Amino acid sequence: MTFTDLGLGAAVLKALDDVGYETPSAIQAATIPTLLAGRDVVGLAQTGTGKTAAFALPILDRLDVSQKSPQALVLAPTRELALQVCEAFEKYASHLRGVHILPVYGGQGYGVQLSALRRGVHIVVGTPGRIMDHLDKGTLDLTELKYLVLDEADEMLKMGFAEDVETILADTPDDKQVALFSATMPPAIRRISQQYLNDPEEITVKTKTTTSANITQRYLIVSYQQKIDALTRILEVENFEGMIVFVRTKNVTEELAEKLRARGYSAAAINGDVAQVQRERTVNQLKSGKLDILVATDVAARGLDVDRISHVVNFDIPTDPEPYVHRIGRTGRAGRTGDAISFVTPRERGLLTRIEKATKQPITQMQLPSVDDVNVTRLARFDDRITAALEQAERIEGFRDIIAHYMRHHDVPEVDVAAALAVVSQGESPLLLEPEPDRPQRADRERGERRERPERGDRPERGDRRERGDRPERRPRPGDTRMATYRIAVGRRHRVEPRQIVGALANEGGLSRADFGAIDIRPEFSLVELPADLPRETLERLDGTRISGRLIELRPDRGGPSRRSGAGSERSDRPARKPRHRGPATSD
Ligand code: AMP
């Protein structure tokens, strides 16, 4: 299904191409033809489903630019939503000449609104209260209104606008077309639609959806601006082989692929505009491992079947459950396990709930990988590079004499020479991220409560708190002597999941679910809260337990609170450093 199939005209289609939409969302596919055919619509749709375009496109497509009095009125519950809807209209009208769209909301001076109304506007988007004020003052003429949209009707009623909404419905021309959108269908909305709408078509988007159980699904709450940093941290700590990063529009595929390449990843974009030959070439590169990250739209990734894809990241969460299922089905191929991570902005929580309901599978919340997580992974990789280099015996041999010669002529211990070479190999960029400052509790709370600037067109929900990078308190509370933190030698790198840990420990150690506290999966190991007084036999049995074939070596965690303060202390499993030897270098 394409936008052309829906019966939209050239100017609107061109604008959609500019903004990079490739396919209609479910609500758009169902609503647009009905509205174009002139029928009233009651659409059950939440924010994030693409409902704005579902009503804006048919209005713009049929707009008579020569009519100077308002033709379309959109009622929205809040000023933010009204502005956001205006912005969307402007975007979709970019190839229509001379279209005037006016936001009208309380709190703004009347002056601007009055002069714009006098000059003539085609589309008014406003909150019911202020629209009523204009109607009472006689400054808004709705006698020639053709289209009326009630956006987030349930919210408008909740905010006490029922009477205003009904008055506007009643006092505007009978032959206008009405589209009512609501996330829920309480009796009041049903009554309004029965009373004021003309034989409306009720549109609920149903979805057939099953996701396979071998895919671990997680989500991360992020603001729009944080997404790129969040993705970078995930790329650092997740043990991925091949990855598809899904975005909503084709323009963003290119932008994001470019940003990832600038950060040193091998990434490429595919979208509906990429020629078939090029697409095949890119997919083959992903298959062969020449390419690790594909940034794609739904259309471009349809049917993609590459075993190497261990991770799917929904950089933009899809508008409907069905594309979600298609997207995450790109991983976990050929009997392997897969990981799906979805970025959700605070206002998109509703979409997430819809996906969970439709797929009947919970999606677990994850936290932004901390600086510690990133640094532990970096140190592990650093170790791996040393190990790999040591395996190149011939080349090592070639350098051995050179180093020995250096050490004979300079009074420097081996470890310093090695460290100096590490400096050379590392170049200017630091090996580790700076530790996050440990903020006192109160500052944390204040930071959490400070409202983030909403992203363009993003509406922070009431009571929403940003939790940027703040990890929930996972350690046992001070004074709680019942639980203790244990460390096991399997971590994210071994692709272990909490349920495997619980399963293995419960089976082997005869533990019950209630015995488990928090499980914190780190890159190299995991921390598990268990009863502090585990009997010795249980400990011994668990010490020899394996998860995914690896011995878990369960033991009390001695990392202590200092684990939080820096990456070095994470690695308390390393032998303690020997005191620096500053004496004369021994010659060999
Ligand atoms: P809405 O539910 O109208 O708030 O739209 C949610 C988001 O989806 C907005 O950022 C839109 O720009 C985007 N969007 C709407 N329709 C489409 C589409 N067909 N393809 C891609 N993105 C879309």
Side-chain angles (χ1 to χ4, degrees):
M1 174 85 73
T2 65
F3 281 106
T4 320
D5 299 333
L6 301 182
L8 292 164
V12 170
L13 290 175
K14 200 149 187 295
L16 290 177
D17 194 51
D18 286 353
V19 293
Y21 297 176
E22 290 184 331
T23 42
S25 71
I27 190 79
Q28 291 162 0
T31 311
I32 292 172
T34 312
L35 287 176
L36 285 177
R39 236 182 117 175
D40 284 2
V41 160
V42 172
L44 259 170
Q46 294 164 322
T47 301
T49 51
K51 65 181 163 58
T52 316
F55 62 76
L57 299 174
I59 291 176
L60 287 170
D61 200 57
R62 294 172 296 165
L63 208 67
D64 174 4
V65 186
S66 66
Q67 179 183 319
K68 291 291 174 226
S69 65
Q71 282 166 67
L73 172 65
V74 180
L75 294 178
T78 60
R79 163 206 145 117
E80 286 79 13
L81 183 60
L83 286 171
Q84 192 184 314
V85 169
C86 278
E87 228 175 72
F89 265 107
E90 299 280 0
K91 242 177 4 188
Y92 306 140
S94 61
H95 289 278
L96 290 164
R97 215 174 290 198
V99 176
H100 296 290
I101 302 148
L102 179 70
V104 168
Y105 48 85
Q108 190 193 33
Y110 280 91
V112 197
Q113 297 173 2
L114 288 177
S115 54
L117 285 169
R118 266 199 295 272
R119 276 197 307 273
V121 295
H122 302 100
I123 300 161
V124 177
V125 184
T127 48
R130 181 56 72 100
I131 296 285
M132 278 305 295
D133 290 348
H134 277 287
L135 288 175
D136 289 343
K137 285 189 167 66
T139 42
L140 175 64
D141 172 15
L142 293 181
T143 51
E144 289 181 275
L145 191 74
K146 292 180 184 155
Y147 313 110
L148 176 62
V149 178
L150 310 182
D151 195 7
E152 301 196 357
D154 47 356
E155 282 297 310
M156 284 199 280
L157 297 203
K158 267 191 222 156
M159 295 178 70
F161 288 132
E163 202 179 315
D164 293 341
V165 169
E166 285 200 50
T167 310
I168 295 165
L169 275 162
D171 293 354
T172 41
D174 284 343
D175 59 353
K176 66 182 178 291
Q177 181 181 38
V178 184
L180 182 156
F181 289 90
S182 190
T184 57
M185 196 45 67
I189 304 266
R190 197 158 287 289
R191 183 187 59 75
I192 286 178
S193 71
Q194 275 159 4
Q195 192 168 342
Y196 298 99
L197 274 64
N198 176 22
D199 182 29
E201 179 163 326
E202 265 203 43
I203 294 173
T204 316
V205 180
K206 290 195 197 71
T207 35
K208 271 200 336 278
T209 38
T210 41
T211 49
S212 79
N214 58 340
I215 302 167
T216 307
Q217 301 175 59
R218 287 172 287 169
Y219 72 91
L220 179 68
I221 299 283
V222 279
S223 72
Y224 189 81
Q225 296 90 326
Q226 286 177 318
K227 284 186 179 186
I228 182 79
D229 283 338
L231 179 60
T232 316
R233 285 199 184 184
I234 283 169
L235 289 172
E236 289 227 29
V237 303
E238 288 284 319
N239 189 24
F240 75 94
E241 210 182 334
M243 178 183 285
I244 305 194
V245 180
F246 279 98
V247 296
R248 232 167 242 171
T249 63
K250 45 191 170 186
N251 309 2
V252 178
T253 57
E254 305 284 357
E255 273 170 43
L256 186 56
E258 184 54 51
K259 281 184 187 154
L260 292 176
R261 284 196 293 267
R263 283 167 163 77
Y265 293 99
S266 66
I270 53 167
N271 57 54
D273 283 355
V274 172
Q276 188 57 23
V277 191
Q278 174 62 33
R279 180 185 187 272
E280 270 168 31
R281 197 178 309 142
T282 308
V283 172
N284 283 335
Q285 286 176 339
L286 183 68
K287 276 187 185 151
S288 68
K290 265 197 199 136
L291 189 69
D292 293 326
I293 306 170
L294 207 56
V295 186
T297 52
D298 291 301
V299 170
R302 199 166 286 158
L304 206 90
D305 191 0
V306 178
D307 297 352
R308 251 189 98 230
I309 298 169
S310 61
H311 282 68
V312 164
V313 171
N314 289 313
F315 193 81
D316 297 316
I317 188 170
T319 43
D320 295 291
E322 218 166 298
Y324 176 85
V325 173
H326 289 161
R327 285 179 179 191
I328 74 166
R330 299 307 104 214
T331 179
R333 317 285 298 176
R336 301 187 182 198
T337 55
D339 278 278
I341 299 174
S342 300
F343 289 177
V344 180
T345 65
R347 71 188 271 262
E348 290 169 337
R349 282 176 195 265
L351 279 183
L352 185 77
T353 317
R354 240 181 101 215
I355 291 170
E356 280 187 308
K357 265 197 195 145
T359 57
K360 298 196 178 61
Q361 279 191 358
I363 306 176
T364 45
Q365 183 167 12
M366 67 182 282
Q367 302 299 322
L368 186 72
S370 67
V371 165
D372 277 1
D373 290 339
V374 170
N375 284 346
V376 173
T377 320
R378 287 189 181 184
L379 286 171
R381 291 219 182 95
F382 189 78
D383 285 359
D384 289 348
R385 283 170 58 205
I386 298 175
T387 311
L390 284 170
E391 278 161 11
Q392 301 182 45
E394 257 174 52
R395 296 189 69 194
I396 291 285
E397 199 50 48
F399 279 106
R400 190 185 286 274
D401 286 347
I402 299 173
I403 302 296
H405 179 266
Y406 183 94
M407 288 178 52
R408 268 198 303 276
H409 290 85
H410 300 80
D411 182 14
V412 180
E414 282 136 320
V415 69
D416 283 8
V417 177
L421 292 173
V423 169
V424 174
S425 101
Q426 182 65 22
E428 285 306 306
S429 59
L431 173 65
L432 299 178
L433 293 177
E434 286 291 313
E436 278 163 324
D438 253 346
R439 287 186 181 76
Q441 280 278 315
R442 201 139 73 89
D444 256 352
R445 209 176 319 131
E446 280 161 10
R447 191 170 48 130
E449 282 176 9
R450 198 177 57 217
R451 268 275 152 87
E452 280 230 340
R453 241 186 53 220
E455 63 175 82
R456 249 167 84 89
D458 197 351
R459 209 153 41 91
E461 282 164 0
R462 250 167 291 146
D464 237 317
R465 295 278 129 84
R466 300 297 312 117
E467 298 156 1
R468 178 166 195 260
D470 293 344
R471 304 190 132 231
E473 190 49 78
R474 286 175 154 177
R475 297 184 64 75
R477 276 172 288 285
D480 180 357
T481 49
R482 265 185 8 86
M483 300 292 271
T485 305
Y486 293 81
R487 177 190 288 238
I488 58 174
V490 285
R492 196 173 296 129
R493 177 205 263 273
H494 316 106
R495 311 198 69 187
V496 68
E497 294 162 22
R499 61 184 160 88
Q500 286 172 295
I501 297 177
V502 174
L505 298 191
N507 286 341
E508 301 278 327
L511 301 173
S512 76
R513 233 160 218 291
D515 290 328
F516 288 85
I519 295 179
D520 187 0
I521 300 187
R522 303 292 182 102
E524 293 295 315
F525 57 89
S526 302
L527 298 171
V528 188
E529 283 175 21
L530 294 171
D533 51 0
L534 282 182
R536 231 196 35 220
E537 325 65 276
T538 310
L539 283 174
E540 279 168 9
R541 223 171 343 166
L542 289 177
D543 188 46
T545 299
R546 287 175 186 270
I547 296 179
S548 301
R550 283 183 67 88
L551 269 181
I552 64 168
E553 298 170 33
L554 178 109
R555 59 201 155 86
D557 175 47
R558 308 222 184 276
S562 63
R563 266 191 303 107
R564 281 177 169 273
S565 60
S569 49
E570 277 272 9
R571 299 158 60 83
S572 52
D573 50 343
R574 308 188 120 202
R577 275 178 177 241
K578 293 206 179 85
R580 279 191 153 213
H581 172 67
R582 276 270 166 213
T586 45
S587 62
D588 49 348

